[in-house]
Protein backbone atom coordinates (compact mmCIF):
# COMPACT_ATOMS: atom_id res chain seq x y z
CA UNK A 1 0.00 0.00 0.00
CA UNK A 2 1.33 3.45 -0.91
CA UNK A 3 2.01 6.02 1.79
CA UNK A 4 -0.70 8.62 2.39
CA UNK A 5 -0.24 11.98 0.68
CA UNK A 6 1.40 14.72 2.73
CA UNK A 7 -1.24 17.15 1.44
CA UNK A 8 -4.58 15.33 1.26
CA UNK A 9 -6.91 18.31 0.90
CA UNK A 10 -9.14 17.99 -2.15
CA UNK A 11 -8.93 21.66 -3.22
CA UNK A 12 -5.53 23.22 -3.82
CA UNK A 13 -5.09 26.96 -4.29
CA UNK A 14 -1.66 28.27 -5.29
CA UNK A 15 -0.96 31.90 -4.47
CA UNK A 16 1.13 33.72 -7.08
CA UNK A 17 2.08 37.41 -7.40
CA UNK A 18 -0.04 38.80 -10.23
CA UNK A 19 1.49 40.23 -13.39
CA UNK A 20 4.89 38.73 -12.65
CA UNK A 21 7.05 36.91 -15.20
CA UNK A 22 9.90 35.23 -13.35
CA UNK A 23 11.37 31.84 -12.60
CA UNK A 24 9.37 31.56 -9.39
CA UNK A 25 6.09 32.51 -11.03
CA UNK A 26 6.69 29.92 -13.72
CA UNK A 27 7.23 27.22 -11.09
CA UNK A 28 3.91 28.09 -9.45
CA UNK A 29 2.08 27.79 -12.78
CA UNK A 30 4.01 24.60 -13.56
CA UNK A 31 2.77 23.07 -10.31
CA UNK A 32 -0.84 24.11 -10.93
CA UNK A 33 -0.76 22.61 -14.43
CA UNK A 34 0.81 19.38 -13.22
CA UNK A 35 -1.78 18.90 -10.49
CA UNK A 36 -4.63 19.61 -12.92
CA UNK A 37 -3.19 17.00 -15.28
CA UNK A 38 -3.50 14.52 -12.41
CA UNK A 39 -7.17 15.28 -12.06
CA UNK A 40 -6.85 17.37 -8.92
CA UNK A 41 -8.80 20.54 -8.23
CA UNK A 42 -5.87 22.96 -8.37
CA UNK A 43 -5.95 26.62 -9.32
CA UNK A 44 -3.73 29.69 -9.40
CA UNK A 45 -4.90 32.62 -7.26
CA UNK A 46 -3.17 35.87 -8.11
CA UNK A 47 -2.17 38.26 -5.32
CA UNK A 48 -2.79 40.79 -3.95
CA UNK A 49 -6.16 39.18 -3.35
CA UNK A 50 -9.01 41.27 -4.66
CA UNK A 51 -7.05 42.52 -7.68
CA UNK A 52 -7.63 41.26 -11.21
CA UNK A 53 -4.82 39.77 -13.30
CA UNK A 54 -4.60 37.71 -16.45
CA UNK A 55 -2.25 34.78 -16.88
CA UNK A 56 0.97 35.88 -18.61
CA UNK A 57 1.14 34.49 -22.14
CA UNK A 58 4.43 32.81 -21.25
CA UNK A 59 2.56 30.45 -18.91
CA UNK A 60 -0.35 29.58 -21.17
CA UNK A 61 1.32 26.25 -21.88
CA UNK A 62 0.48 25.05 -18.36
CA UNK A 63 -3.28 25.45 -18.91
CA UNK A 64 -3.90 26.63 -15.38
CA UNK A 65 -7.30 27.16 -13.88
CA UNK A 66 -7.52 30.62 -12.26
CA UNK A 67 -9.55 31.24 -9.13
CA UNK A 68 -10.12 34.61 -7.46
CA UNK A 69 -10.54 33.51 -3.86
CA UNK A 70 -9.27 30.90 -1.44
CA UNK A 71 -12.11 29.31 0.55
CA UNK A 72 -11.04 29.44 4.18
CA UNK A 73 -12.29 26.05 5.22
CA UNK A 74 -11.21 22.51 5.88
CA UNK A 75 -10.35 20.52 2.77
CA UNK A 76 -8.50 23.46 1.18
CA UNK A 77 -4.70 23.73 0.93
CA UNK A 78 -3.34 27.26 0.40
CA UNK A 79 0.15 27.09 -1.09
CA UNK A 80 2.27 30.26 -0.96
CA UNK A 81 5.83 30.88 -2.08
CA UNK A 82 8.16 32.20 0.61
CA UNK A 83 7.45 35.79 -0.48
CA UNK A 84 3.75 35.27 0.22
CA UNK A 85 3.76 33.85 3.73
CA UNK A 86 1.96 36.90 5.13
CA UNK A 87 -0.97 36.09 2.84
CA UNK A 88 -1.45 32.83 4.71
CA UNK A 89 -2.36 34.72 7.89
CA UNK A 90 -5.75 35.43 6.26
CA UNK A 91 -6.71 31.79 6.47
CA UNK A 92 -7.73 30.28 9.80
CA UNK A 93 -9.02 26.91 8.61
CA UNK A 94 -7.30 26.11 5.29
CA UNK A 95 -4.10 24.10 5.40
CA UNK A 96 -1.02 26.36 5.21
CA UNK A 97 1.74 25.30 2.81
CA UNK A 98 4.95 27.25 2.10
CA UNK A 99 6.91 26.33 -1.03
CA UNK A 100 10.46 27.58 -0.55
CA UNK A 101 11.60 28.67 -4.02
CA UNK A 102 14.10 31.34 -2.95
CA UNK A 103 15.77 31.74 0.41
CA UNK A 104 16.97 35.27 -0.41
CA UNK A 105 13.46 36.42 -1.28
CA UNK A 106 12.37 35.48 2.22
CA UNK A 107 15.30 36.61 4.35
CA UNK A 108 16.27 39.78 2.47
CA UNK A 109 19.70 40.81 1.26
CA UNK A 110 22.16 42.93 3.18
CA UNK A 111 23.21 46.20 1.60
CA UNK A 112 19.83 47.33 0.26
CA UNK A 113 17.08 49.31 2.04
CA UNK A 114 14.47 46.76 0.99
CA UNK A 115 16.70 43.99 2.25
CA UNK A 116 17.08 45.57 5.69
CA UNK A 117 13.31 46.05 5.99
CA UNK A 118 12.80 42.42 5.04
CA UNK A 119 15.33 41.27 7.62
CA UNK A 120 13.61 43.23 10.39
CA UNK A 121 10.21 41.85 9.42
CA UNK A 122 11.27 38.27 8.91
CA UNK A 123 13.88 37.75 11.62
CA UNK A 124 12.48 39.77 14.51
CA UNK A 125 8.89 38.69 13.91
CA UNK A 126 7.98 35.23 12.69
CA UNK A 127 5.55 35.48 9.78
CA UNK A 128 4.81 31.78 9.48
CA UNK A 129 1.28 32.13 10.93
CA UNK A 130 0.88 28.54 12.18
CA UNK A 131 4.43 27.18 12.44
CA UNK A 132 3.36 24.04 14.29
CA UNK A 133 1.07 22.87 11.46
CA UNK A 134 2.51 24.55 8.35
CA UNK A 135 3.69 22.15 5.63
CA UNK A 136 7.06 23.09 4.11
CA UNK A 137 8.06 22.17 0.56
CA UNK A 138 11.58 22.77 -0.77
CA UNK A 139 12.71 23.53 -4.32
CA UNK A 140 16.34 23.03 -3.26
CA UNK A 141 18.43 21.36 -0.57
CA UNK A 142 19.73 24.84 0.18
CA UNK A 143 16.18 25.89 1.14
CA UNK A 144 15.66 22.71 3.19
CA UNK A 145 18.78 23.51 5.21
CA UNK A 146 17.65 27.12 5.73
CA UNK A 147 14.23 26.09 7.08
CA UNK A 148 15.78 23.46 9.34
CA UNK A 149 18.13 26.04 10.87
CA UNK A 150 15.66 28.95 10.96
CA UNK A 151 12.51 27.17 12.11
CA UNK A 152 13.66 23.73 13.23
CA UNK A 153 11.20 22.31 10.73
CA UNK A 154 11.34 19.54 8.15
CA UNK A 155 9.27 18.99 5.06
CA UNK A 156 9.31 17.47 1.59
CA UNK A 157 11.29 18.13 -1.57
CA UNK A 158 9.28 19.56 -4.46
CA UNK A 159 11.72 20.76 -7.06
CA UNK A 160 10.96 21.64 -10.69
CA UNK A 161 12.03 20.87 -14.23
CA UNK A 162 12.88 22.69 -17.44
CA UNK A 163 10.39 23.29 -20.22
CA UNK A 164 10.44 20.55 -22.84
CA UNK A 165 12.03 22.69 -25.56
CA UNK A 166 15.19 23.12 -23.49
CA UNK A 167 15.56 19.36 -23.06
CA UNK A 168 15.69 18.83 -26.82
CA UNK A 169 19.12 18.29 -28.36
CA UNK A 170 20.91 21.58 -29.08
CA UNK A 171 21.34 22.73 -32.66
CA UNK A 172 24.47 21.15 -34.05
CA UNK A 173 26.93 23.67 -35.41
CA UNK A 174 30.12 25.52 -34.71
CA UNK A 175 30.40 26.93 -31.22
CA UNK A 176 32.18 30.22 -30.87
CA UNK A 177 34.64 31.10 -28.09
CA UNK A 178 32.22 33.38 -26.28
CA UNK A 179 30.84 33.68 -22.74
CA UNK A 180 27.10 34.08 -22.23
CA UNK A 181 25.89 35.69 -19.02
CA UNK A 182 22.72 36.98 -17.37
CA UNK A 183 23.26 40.72 -16.72
CA UNK A 184 20.70 40.59 -13.90
CA UNK A 185 22.79 38.15 -11.88
CA UNK A 186 26.07 39.00 -10.15
CA UNK A 187 26.66 42.18 -12.12
CA UNK A 188 29.54 43.54 -10.03
CA UNK A 189 31.72 40.45 -10.19
CA UNK A 190 30.84 39.74 -13.82
CA UNK A 191 32.07 43.24 -14.71
CA UNK A 192 35.34 42.46 -12.92
CA UNK A 193 35.63 39.26 -14.93
CA UNK A 194 35.02 41.11 -18.19
CA UNK A 195 37.76 43.60 -17.30
CA UNK A 196 40.12 40.72 -16.51
CA UNK A 197 39.40 39.09 -19.91
CA UNK A 198 39.74 41.97 -22.40
CA UNK A 199 40.02 39.69 -25.43
CA UNK A 200 36.96 37.56 -24.64
CA UNK A 201 33.54 38.11 -26.19
CA UNK A 202 30.78 38.35 -23.54
CA UNK A 203 27.17 37.96 -24.69
CA UNK A 204 24.40 39.31 -22.40
CA UNK A 205 21.21 37.26 -22.28
CA UNK A 206 18.74 40.12 -22.36
CA UNK A 207 15.87 41.32 -24.52
CA UNK A 208 15.57 37.85 -26.05
CA UNK A 209 12.68 35.55 -26.84
CA UNK A 210 12.93 31.96 -25.65
CA UNK A 211 14.01 30.90 -29.14
CA UNK A 212 16.70 33.56 -29.25
CA UNK A 213 17.93 32.55 -25.80
CA UNK A 214 18.22 28.91 -26.83
CA UNK A 215 19.97 29.84 -30.07
CA UNK A 216 22.51 31.92 -28.17
CA UNK A 217 23.21 29.13 -25.68
CA UNK A 218 23.54 26.69 -28.58
CA UNK A 219 26.48 28.66 -29.98
CA UNK A 220 28.40 30.01 -26.94
CA UNK A 221 31.04 27.78 -25.39
CA UNK A 222 30.64 29.10 -21.83
CA UNK A 223 27.88 30.37 -19.58
CA UNK A 224 28.80 32.10 -16.30
CA UNK A 225 26.49 32.96 -13.40
CA UNK A 226 27.76 34.73 -10.28
CA UNK A 227 24.39 35.60 -8.82
CA UNK A 228 23.21 34.70 -5.33
CA UNK A 229 21.61 31.39 -6.39
CA UNK A 230 18.78 31.65 -3.84
CA UNK A 231 17.32 28.42 -5.26
CA UNK A 232 18.02 26.09 -8.17
CA UNK A 233 18.16 28.75 -10.87
CA UNK A 234 16.86 27.87 -14.31
CA UNK A 235 19.24 29.58 -16.73
CA UNK A 236 22.37 27.68 -15.61
CA UNK A 237 20.45 24.45 -16.22
CA UNK A 238 19.15 25.71 -19.55
CA UNK A 239 22.69 26.61 -20.57
CA UNK A 240 23.97 23.19 -19.57
CA UNK A 241 21.39 21.19 -21.54
CA UNK A 242 21.99 23.45 -24.55
CA UNK A 243 25.61 22.28 -24.43
CA UNK A 244 27.45 25.26 -22.94
CA UNK A 245 30.08 24.70 -20.26
CA UNK A 246 28.65 26.21 -17.06
CA UNK A 247 30.73 28.12 -14.51
CA UNK A 248 29.02 29.42 -11.35
CA UNK A 249 29.76 31.29 -8.17
CA UNK A 250 30.11 29.14 -5.08
CA UNK A 251 27.18 30.83 -3.33
CA UNK A 252 23.68 29.84 -2.24
CA UNK A 253 22.33 26.67 -3.82
CA UNK A 254 25.22 26.57 -6.32
CA UNK A 255 27.50 25.68 -3.41
CA UNK A 256 25.34 22.62 -2.62
CA UNK A 257 26.30 19.57 -4.67
CA UNK A 258 22.81 18.06 -4.55
CA UNK A 259 21.39 21.22 -6.12
CA UNK A 260 24.11 22.00 -8.66
CA UNK A 261 26.10 18.78 -9.25
CA UNK A 262 28.96 20.40 -11.15
CA UNK A 263 32.57 19.40 -10.49
CA UNK A 264 34.11 21.83 -8.01
CA UNK A 265 36.59 23.14 -10.57
CA UNK A 266 33.65 24.94 -12.23
CA UNK A 267 32.63 26.75 -9.03
CA UNK A 268 34.40 29.91 -7.85
CA UNK A 269 34.06 32.23 -4.90
CA UNK A 270 33.07 35.57 -6.48
CA UNK A 271 36.15 37.42 -5.22
CA UNK A 272 38.94 39.31 -6.94
CA UNK A 273 41.49 36.63 -6.05
CA UNK A 274 39.46 34.11 -8.10
CA UNK A 275 39.86 36.06 -11.33
CA UNK A 276 43.22 34.62 -12.53
CA UNK A 277 42.07 31.01 -12.16
CA UNK A 278 38.66 31.83 -13.64
CA UNK A 279 40.22 33.53 -16.65
CA UNK A 280 42.51 30.52 -17.08
CA UNK A 281 39.58 28.09 -17.01
CA UNK A 282 37.68 30.06 -19.65
CA UNK A 283 40.73 30.05 -21.92
CA UNK A 284 41.14 26.31 -21.33
CA UNK A 285 37.50 25.66 -22.26
CA UNK A 286 37.99 27.60 -25.49
CA UNK A 287 40.97 25.38 -26.36
CA UNK A 288 39.52 22.04 -25.18
CA UNK A 289 35.78 22.49 -25.32
CA UNK A 290 34.84 18.84 -25.91
CA UNK A 291 36.82 17.70 -22.87
CA UNK A 292 35.05 20.14 -20.56
CA UNK A 293 31.66 19.39 -22.10
CA UNK A 294 32.19 15.69 -21.29
CA UNK A 295 33.17 16.57 -17.72
CA UNK A 296 29.75 18.20 -17.25
CA UNK A 297 27.70 15.36 -18.74
CA UNK A 298 26.61 14.10 -15.28
CA UNK A 299 25.15 17.56 -14.61
CA UNK A 300 23.20 17.42 -17.86
CA UNK A 301 22.04 13.89 -17.03
CA UNK A 302 20.73 15.10 -13.66
CA UNK A 303 18.80 17.92 -15.35
CA UNK A 304 17.31 15.50 -17.89
CA UNK A 305 16.08 13.34 -14.98
CA UNK A 306 14.27 16.22 -13.26
CA UNK A 307 10.84 15.72 -14.91
CA UNK A 308 10.64 12.13 -13.62
CA UNK A 309 11.91 13.21 -10.20
CA UNK A 310 9.27 15.94 -10.06
CA UNK A 311 6.51 13.42 -10.79
CA UNK A 312 7.78 11.17 -8.00
CA UNK A 313 7.80 14.11 -5.62
CA UNK A 314 4.21 14.95 -6.61
CA UNK A 315 3.28 11.35 -5.79
CA UNK A 316 4.73 11.73 -2.32
CA UNK A 317 3.28 15.18 -1.56
CA UNK A 318 -0.12 15.03 -3.27
CA UNK A 319 -0.71 11.36 -3.94
CA UNK A 320 -1.03 9.69 -7.33
CA UNK A 321 -4.25 11.43 -8.32
CA UNK A 322 -7.89 11.65 -7.35
CA UNK A 323 -7.87 8.04 -6.12
CA UNK A 324 -5.59 9.13 -3.25
CA UNK A 325 -7.83 11.95 -2.10
CA UNK A 326 -10.19 11.52 0.84
Amino acid sequence: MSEPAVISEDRIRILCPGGLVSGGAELLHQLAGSLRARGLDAAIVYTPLGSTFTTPVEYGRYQCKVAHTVPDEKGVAAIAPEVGTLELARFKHACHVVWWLSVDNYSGRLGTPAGWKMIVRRWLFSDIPRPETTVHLFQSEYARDFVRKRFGAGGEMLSDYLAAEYLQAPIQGVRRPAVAYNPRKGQAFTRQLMQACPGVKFVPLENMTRDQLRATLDTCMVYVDFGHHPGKDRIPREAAVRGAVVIVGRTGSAAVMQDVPLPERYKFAPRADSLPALRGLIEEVFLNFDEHARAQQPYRNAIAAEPAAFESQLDRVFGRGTANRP
Side-chain angles (χ1 to χ4, degrees):
M1 180 180 294
S2 61
E3 295 184 4
V6 175
I7 297 172
S8 59
E9 283 72 16
D10 57 7
R11 285 170 291 168
I12 301 164
R13 299 296 179 259
I14 301 168
L15 302 174
C16 177
L20 182 65
V21 176
S22 69
E26 179 158 8
L27 266 61
L28 295 166
H29 287 81
Q30 188 180 75
L31 174 61
S34 296
L35 294 178
R36 294 262 304 161
R38 288 169 165 246
L40 301 181
D41 180 0
I44 286 282
V45 179
Y46 293 116
T47 59
L49 295 174
S51 301
T52 301
F53 299 94
T54 58
T55 299
V57 64
E58 292 86 350
Y59 307 143
R61 71 178 71 198
Y62 298 116
Q63 300 181 329
C64 297
K65 172 184 173 182
V66 176
H68 300 289
T69 60
V70 178
D72 186 18
E73 55 195 44
K74 298 293 185 181
V76 175
I79 302 178
E82 73 294 323
V83 295
T85 54
L86 292 175
E87 296 282 358
L88 294 177
R90 298 169 177 265
F91 311 121
K92 306 301 181 184
H93 306 289
C95 173
H96 290 190
V97 183
V98 179
W99 192 13
W100 294 87
L101 306 178
S102 167
V103 169
D104 284 10
N105 284 348
Y106 177 82
S107 58
R109 188 172 299 151
L110 294 174
T112 66
W116 281 112
K117 290 180 181 179
M118 186 74 76
I119 289 168
V120 170
R121 186 176 75 177
R122 303 289 193 186
W123 291 80
L124 296 185
F125 308 97
S126 175
D127 63 351
I128 303 296
R130 298 203 305 256
E132 68 283 355
T133 59
T134 295
V135 176
H136 296 278
L137 306 175
F138 311 114
Q139 189 257 2
S140 65
E141 288 291 342
Y142 176 59
R144 186 204 292 267
D145 186 61
F146 171 81
V147 171
R148 178 182 61 80
K149 292 176 179 176
R150 174 73 174 89
F151 299 105
E156 295 291 334
M157 286 298 299
L158 184 63
S159 190
D160 68 331
Y161 60 91
L162 297 184
E165 63 262 30
Y166 285 98
L167 298 178
Q168 298 169 358
I171 299 171
Q172 296 300 313
V174 177
R175 285 192 181 266
R176 53 180 173 151
V179 178
Y181 70 100
N182 183 350
R184 298 175 60 190
K185 304 284 188 177
Q187 296 179 13
F189 185 73
T190 304
R191 283 196 296 267
Q192 293 181 45
L193 176 62
M194 294 168 72
Q195 293 168 359
C197 304
V200 173
K201 174 69 173 177
F202 283 80
V203 181
L205 300 177
E206 60 183 352
N207 301 320
M208 294 182 179
T209 65
R210 285 178 179 260
D211 288 343
Q212 291 169 332
L213 179 65
R214 289 197 302 274
T216 301
L217 295 173
D218 282 352
T219 57
C220 288
M221 287 188 175
V222 175
Y223 171 78
V224 298
D225 191 321
F226 298 103
H228 292 271
H229 297 276
K232 289 172 56 178
D233 285 349
R234 298 175 75 85
I235 295 185
R237 288 180 283 164
E238 291 168 357
V241 297
R242 303 315 298 175
V245 171
V246 175
I247 300 173
V248 297
R250 193 180 290 110
T251 55
S253 68
V256 180
M257 186 57 67
Q258 298 99 312
D259 292 335
V260 183
L262 279 172
E264 286 298 323
R265 68 176 302 193
Y266 301 102
K267 299 183 180 184
F268 290 82
R271 303 190 306 254
D273 59 2
S274 298
L275 290 171
L278 182 51
R279 181 181 63 241
L281 177 59
I282 291 172
E283 293 172 349
E284 187 179 327
V285 172
F286 287 171
L287 291 174
N288 301 289
F289 175 78
D290 289 344
E291 174 187 336
H292 289 276
R294 285 193 297 271
Q296 294 197 357
Q297 187 59 45
Y299 181 41
R300 290 191 291 275
N301 292 345
I303 296 166
E306 287 177 341
F310 183 74
E311 291 297 323
S312 295
Q313 292 163 356
L314 289 179
D315 288 345
R316 171 71 183 125
V317 176
F318 298 97
R320 294 182 178 274
T322 54
N324 291 72
R325 317 313 284 178

